[in-house]
Amino acid sequence: MGKVSIVIPTYNEKENVEVLLEKLKDILEKENIDYEIIIVDDNSPDGTAEAARRRARELGIEDKVKVIVRKNERGLSSAVLRGFEKAEGDVIVVMDADLQHPPEVVPKLVRKIVEENCDIVVATRYSKEGGIKEWSPIRKIISKGASILSWILLPKSRGLSDPMSGFFAIKKNVIEEPLKKGIFNPKGFKILLEIIAKSNYKKLCEVPYIFQKRYSGTSKLNQKVILEYVIHLLELARYTGELKRMFKFAFVGLLGIFVNEGFLYLSYEILGLRELSQLGLLLSSAIGFEASVIFNFLIHDKYTFRDLIDTFTLNAKLKRFVHYHNASILGLAIQVTVLFALVSMGIHYLIANLIGIIMGMSVRYSYSILKAWSQS
Ligand code: GDD
Ligand code: MN
């Protein structure tokens, strides 16, 4: 096995980084792994960089520890990218400095790359043996919600049970090209999603771990980071063409309205359901709805989500249809509920209806991509 570069972004992690260096040294030496540690510090006021250099000297590993200090830049992702540029190893590991990512997991990530020929190995909290120590329920919900959002907006991330992970190993050659081309977005917290979206890799693997309690200091994640995350995802969705997919979906939905109206008219007027008065109207509207669902489904299956299908049997298609049907009913229910709720709050019914349609459509889309066209 070649050299492993461990990239660690730091901001005010003085005490943590001292402990982490010692642990990494012990573990990697014991495992006979040739390594270098690249600390990318944004000129932390607490003197993290100095402390890291001193500790490396004390441990006798100053030749293995590079400390980069950035004076005019801030940000987790851009710090990691800087580390990538400096990395000399064939395998790169990215981890936090605060010991929430247990150093004992590092050899597992690296070994998996070598033994199973994975291109990317992500440490996950959301698998049987994974978990989280000491996180508030709110933080857990935010993390889960953020994961679901990434599965919707970035289908490539569906191979990850923990797309929010900041702890992973990659083969250097996976990122070399996009790095050279400068296509990685240096903003934000989620460098892993950048890599998933923009680099070419074949095998994606996972290793479970338990997210530990912060050893010392405080988290840098705040509300601004969450908002930036959503913007970041939308940018990635544009980059990968997912935004286009959403527009296609909405457009097909629009066409479906005409089908709906047409079949309603047909059954009410021409088939004569009008004679049954209210029941006839109800039946006709159900026929209109079903016709539009079938129509939408056929187009979505052939165009909108075609690239996400890997089984083309009739059986699989029927399954997708049942899911899409559920998605449509759920979407309609949401649309109507939002309409009534907003009107009761005094909002004009046309505006309320528009918001209802948009929300119903979003739910329909999310359910479709997460359930009906969820292969790959
Ligand atoms: N250089 C640099 N610049 N480093 C930073 C910056 C920055 O602006 N902001 C944060 N870091 C470093 C921290 O010093 C720490 O080593 C690491 O990035 C993670 O930051 P935390 O503040 O500890 O984040 P967290 O624990 O809330 O979130 C982490 O875990 C989540 C779950 O895996 C991050 O890794 C998230 O990306 C991840 O989703
Ligand atoms: Mn942390």
Side-chain angles (χ1 to χ4, degrees):
M1 192 201 315
K3 191 193 265 183
V4 176
S5 303
I6 301 170
V7 173
I8 307 171
T10 59
Y11 193 74
N12 286 344
E13 309 283 6
K14 182 168 179 266
E15 278 147 52
N16 294 327
V17 91
E18 289 177 356
V19 179
L20 180 61
L21 280 178
E22 181 168 359
K23 292 203 170 192
L24 281 175
K25 176 191 175 211
D26 285 352
I27 289 160
L28 295 166
E29 276 178 8
K30 204 166 76 205
E31 300 270 345
N32 274 324
I33 295 174
D34 181 19
Y35 68 96
E36 63 172 354
I37 295 174
I38 303 172
I39 291 172
V40 188
D41 185 65
D42 292 352
N43 209 13
S44 302
D46 76 345
T48 301
E50 250 327 294
R53 287 199 188 101
R54 187 179 353 101
R55 193 79 193 110
R57 273 196 305 277
E58 284 166 13
L59 293 164
I61 51 171
E62 61 268 40
D63 53 328
K64 290 184 187 293
V65 179
K66 298 178 190 163
V67 181
I68 301 166
V69 179
R70 304 193 305 167
K71 291 251 157 68
N72 304 313
E73 280 172 277
R74 261 303 302 269
L76 178 46
S77 284
S78 66
V80 172
L81 287 176
R82 174 64 70 83
F84 285 169
E85 280 159 15
K86 286 276 178 289
E88 286 171 0
D90 308 320
V91 173
I92 303 177
V93 174
V94 177
M95 72 188 299
D96 294 349
D98 55 6
L99 294 143
Q100 292 193 281
H101 297 157
E104 309 82 63
V105 178
V106 172
K108 289 190 197 165
L109 297 175
V110 174
R111 233 182 281 129
K112 191 119 177 157
I113 291 227
V114 178
E115 286 167 11
E116 295 181 32
N117 199 23
C118 308
D119 294 299
I120 306 177
V121 183
V122 180
T124 173
R125 297 162 286 182
Y126 302 108
S127 80
K128 262 187 277 136
E129 295 128 69
I132 297 169
K133 262 196 194 159
E134 295 214 330
W135 246 16
S136 67
I138 301 242
R139 177 86 204 246
K140 276 188 190 158
I141 290 170
I142 292 175
S143 175
K144 199 76 213 181
S147 298
I148 293 173
L149 204 60
S150 97
W151 293 325
I152 294 170
L153 292 177
L154 189 64
K156 270 179 110 182
S157 72
R158 292 195 296 212
L160 297 172
S161 57
D162 191 358
M164 297 303 106
S165 183
F167 190 17
F168 56 91
I170 42 174
K171 283 187 186 158
K172 170 91 194 237
N173 63 22
V174 170
I175 50 157
E176 245 156 8
E177 207 187 296
L179 206 60
K180 224 185 293 155
K181 288 191 189 150
I183 57 174
F184 286 133
N185 182 350
K187 278 181 279 172
F189 245 59
K190 299 298 163 208
I191 191 66
L192 177 61
L193 291 182
E194 277 290 310
I195 297 171
I196 294 289
K198 298 181 178 173
S199 54
N200 280 321
Y201 56 89
K202 287 197 194 77
K203 199 168 170 192
L204 189 61
C205 309
E206 295 192 318
V207 164
Y209 82 105
I210 297 184
F211 194 69
Q212 303 294 319
K213 187 173 174 299
R214 207 173 216 285
Y215 182 76
S216 157
T218 51
S219 165
K220 279 91 208 165
L221 194 132
N222 52 29
Q223 255 157 357
K224 193 169 148 246
V225 169
I226 296 172
L227 181 68
E228 278 172 359
Y229 167 70
V230 176
I231 294 169
H232 183 196
L233 261 189
L234 286 172
E235 278 172 9
L236 285 179
R238 199 187 44 161
Y239 181 91
T240 55
E242 289 304 310
L243 222 47
K244 230 196 213 149
R245 194 200 300 281
M246 280 181 245
F247 281 116
K248 274 190 209 159
F249 187 86
F251 181 69
V252 174
L254 215 59
L255 292 181
I257 294 176
F258 293 103
V259 176
N260 192 329
E261 294 271 78
F263 273 79
L264 171 63
Y265 178 80
L266 213 73
S267 36
Y268 199 53
E269 304 291 354
I270 310 219
L271 283 179
L273 283 174
R274 182 191 268 282
E275 282 159 33
L276 299 174
S277 82
Q278 291 230 320
L279 177 65
L281 184 59
L282 188 68
L283 277 176
S284 304
S285 81
I287 290 171
F289 175 78
E290 290 301 329
S292 70
V293 170
I294 293 170
F295 168 82
N296 287 0
F297 172 78
L298 290 175
I299 301 196
H300 289 327
D301 208 54
K302 187 126 187 88
Y303 299 103
T304 323
F305 296 107
R306 169 121 192 151
D307 58 306
L308 297 180
I309 301 174
D310 57 18
T311 325
F312 289 91
T313 60
L314 185 62
N315 202 0
K317 191 169 177 139
L318 279 175
K319 270 192 194 145
R320 292 196 291 275
F321 176 71
V322 171
H323 283 309
Y324 181 70
H325 195 266
N326 290 342
S328 303
I329 289 176
L330 189 67
L332 183 65
I334 300 248
Q335 181 183 329
V336 175
T337 311
V338 169
L339 168 66
F340 278 81
L342 293 183
V343 167
S344 77
M345 285 159 64
I347 292 174
H348 191 280
Y349 69 93
L350 285 177
I351 295 173
N353 193 38
L354 190 65
I355 298 174
I357 289 173
I358 293 170
M359 290 188 68
M361 186 78 97
S362 311
V363 168
R364 202 191 252 224
Y365 184 82
S366 306
Y367 197 105
S368 294
I369 201 159
L370 291 176
K371 288 291 252 181
W373 289 277
S374 65
Q375 300 109 319
S376 97

